[in-house]
Amino acid sequence: MAESLLIDHSQPKSQRVESLCPQLEALVTGESNFVANVANISAALRQGLGYFWIGVYLVDGDSLVLGPFQGPIACTRIRRGRGVCGTAWAENRTVVVPDVEAFPGHIACSSESKSEVVVPIRTPSGDIIGVLDADSDKLDDFDESDVQLLEFSAQLIGRLFRAQ
Ligand code: SME
């Protein structure tokens, strides 16, 4: 495992994303425990991009249940098709929400959350095992770089899940 992250916060977001992706891979190398790896990936994403809330929800029957995350306390269970997370799961697609108040059925775990991205986590064979959720306390705070980083991270988490 890498000892620390190398992040230059003076760099534009796209460059920080480029440097963070290989560091995420390095962070999980040599450790097979899923919870430990996802906890560190969440921490690295928060350190690197400063997300207000970042973490995973994992499929448990017809719900998603809260997994490792960084940020304020959050809702523990979300039904399939509910909220942004349940929608990303049910529709098997990345959902970008520039203004959470404009998203019908958005689940407000924190009143400070203003925009959000949720990415399905798939195993290499394509089964959805959860979602990766990032929240910002600013409106319209996510761009292509965030989506690239979060989709990369979700793919990494999906690969690690198979290793259990
Ligand atoms: N806002 C999410 C719930 C999870 S929290 O943001 C951490 C949703 O609508 O599904």
Side-chain angles (χ1 to χ4, degrees), residues 53-55 57 64 66 69 72-75 78-79 82-87 97 100 103-110 113 115-116 118 131 133-135:
W53 194 96
I54 175 80
Y57 282 90
L64 292 165
L66 185 63
F69 70 96
I73 59 167
C75 333
I78 298 171
R79 296 287 292 270
R82 297 288 173 85
V84 187
C85 292
T87 299
V97 181
V100 294
F103 187 93
H106 167 258
I107 300 164
C109 293
S110 163
S113 177
S115 54
E116 180 163 4
V118 180
V131 299
D133 180 9
D135 286 35

Side-chain angles (χ1 to χ4, degrees), residues 58-94:
L58 298 169
V59 171
D60 181 23
D62 63 354
S63 302
L64 292 165
V65 66
L66 185 63
F69 70 96
Q70 294 274 314
I73 59 167
C75 333
T76 53
R77 278 187 189 270
I78 298 171
R79 296 287 292 270
R80 192 166 196 272
R82 297 288 173 85
V84 187
C85 292
T87 299
W89 176 24
E91 297 183 4
N92 191 3
R93 65 180 178 96
T94 296

Side-chain angles (χ1 to χ4, degrees), residues 1-2 24-41 156 159-161 163-164:
M1 178 197 128
L24 292 177
E25 296 262 11
L27 192 59
V28 300
T29 300
E31 176 53 65
S32 62
N33 185 277
F34 182 71
V35 170
N37 283 331
V38 179
N40 254 349
I41 290 170
L156 181 60
R159 268 199 276 137
L160 295 168
F161 188 78
Q164 283 291 83

